[in-house]
Amino acid sequence: MSGPRPATQMTISQFARRAGVPTSTLRFYERQGLVRSARTSGNQRRYARDTLRRVSFIRVSQRLGIPLAAIREVLDLLPEGRTPTPEDWARVSEHWYEDLTRRIEQLIALRDALTDCIGCGCLTLERCQLANPYDALGEKGPGAHRLGMG
C-alpha cells in the first residue's frame, strides 16, 4: 500500500521550503533564465518537481565558483518537460571538466606557495601569485592595468 502521490506542481513557498532556498532566490533564478515556472490563471508561480534537481545543481555549481552564465549555458542543454536522465547530467558535467581541472591545479599551486605569499605581505606585486602571477601584468609595462590606468 502506497501513500498519496506527491503533487507534480508546487507553489513558490512549497518549492522554496523543499529546495531549502528563499523564495527571492527562486525569483532571481527565474529572472536569470535558470529555472522556469508555470503560471496559474491568477498569475501565481507553480514549479514542477523536477526543477528541484536544477536548483540543487545551481547551488552546488555556485559553491564551486562557477558563474551563473556558465550554469545557464549547461542547463540549456538539459531537456524541457522531463526529468533529466543520468546520461543528460553526465553530458552536462563534461562541459566543466577542463575548467574544474584548471581551477584545482591553480588552487594546488596557491596552496603550495601560500607560505611565500603570506610572507611577502603582498607588498612585492611582481612575485604575488594572487594579484599578479608570474608578473604577467609587468609585461604590459608600468601602470595599473586592471584599473584601466596602464
Side-chain angles (χ1 to χ4, degrees), residues 4-150:
R5 188 167 182 225
T8 58
Q9 298 280 314
M10 291 182 268
T11 66
I12 190 168
S13 60
Q14 291 169 328
F15 191 90
R17 196 169 29 258
R18 177 68 177 88
V21 298
T23 56
S24 59
T25 297
L26 294 174
R27 289 185 194 97
F28 174 75
Y29 287 168
E30 197 168 340
R31 282 192 309 273
Q32 297 299 310
L34 299 166
V35 298
R36 290 177 182 79
S37 67
R39 297 294 179 125
T40 66
S41 59
N43 203 32
Q44 296 174 332
R45 288 176 169 86
R46 294 293 185 266
Y47 292 92
R49 290 187 61 79
D50 63 17
T51 306
L52 285 168
R53 287 193 178 150
R54 287 179 183 253
V55 170
S56 295
F57 179 78
I58 294 164
R59 294 180 70 208
V60 168
S61 300
Q62 286 182 298
R63 282 190 211 129
L64 294 173
I66 297 172
L68 286 179
I71 296 169
R72 183 181 325 102
E73 219 173 83
V74 296
L75 285 175
D76 286 345
L77 300 173
L78 293 174
E80 283 295 321
R82 71 167 170 82
T83 301
T85 64
E87 292 79 20
D88 293 327
W89 287 111
R91 190 177 69 248
V92 163
S93 69
E94 287 174 13
H95 285 270
W96 287 342
Y97 185 83
E98 286 181 31
D99 180 54
L100 290 174
T101 300
R102 182 184 52 77
R103 287 173 189 239
I104 290 166
E105 289 168 355
Q106 288 175 332
L107 287 169
I108 289 170
L110 174 61
R111 180 202 63 200
D112 294 346
L114 196 56
T115 301
D116 188 41
C117 183
I118 291 171
C120 83
C122 289
L123 297 175
T124 55
L125 291 179
E126 65 276 352
R127 282 185 47 219
C128 184
Q129 293 300 306
L130 288 174
N132 189 13
Y134 311 110
D135 194 23
L137 296 175
E139 295 173 9
K140 295 181 180 184
H145 299 282
R146 289 194 177 136
L147 299 176
M149 303 169 144

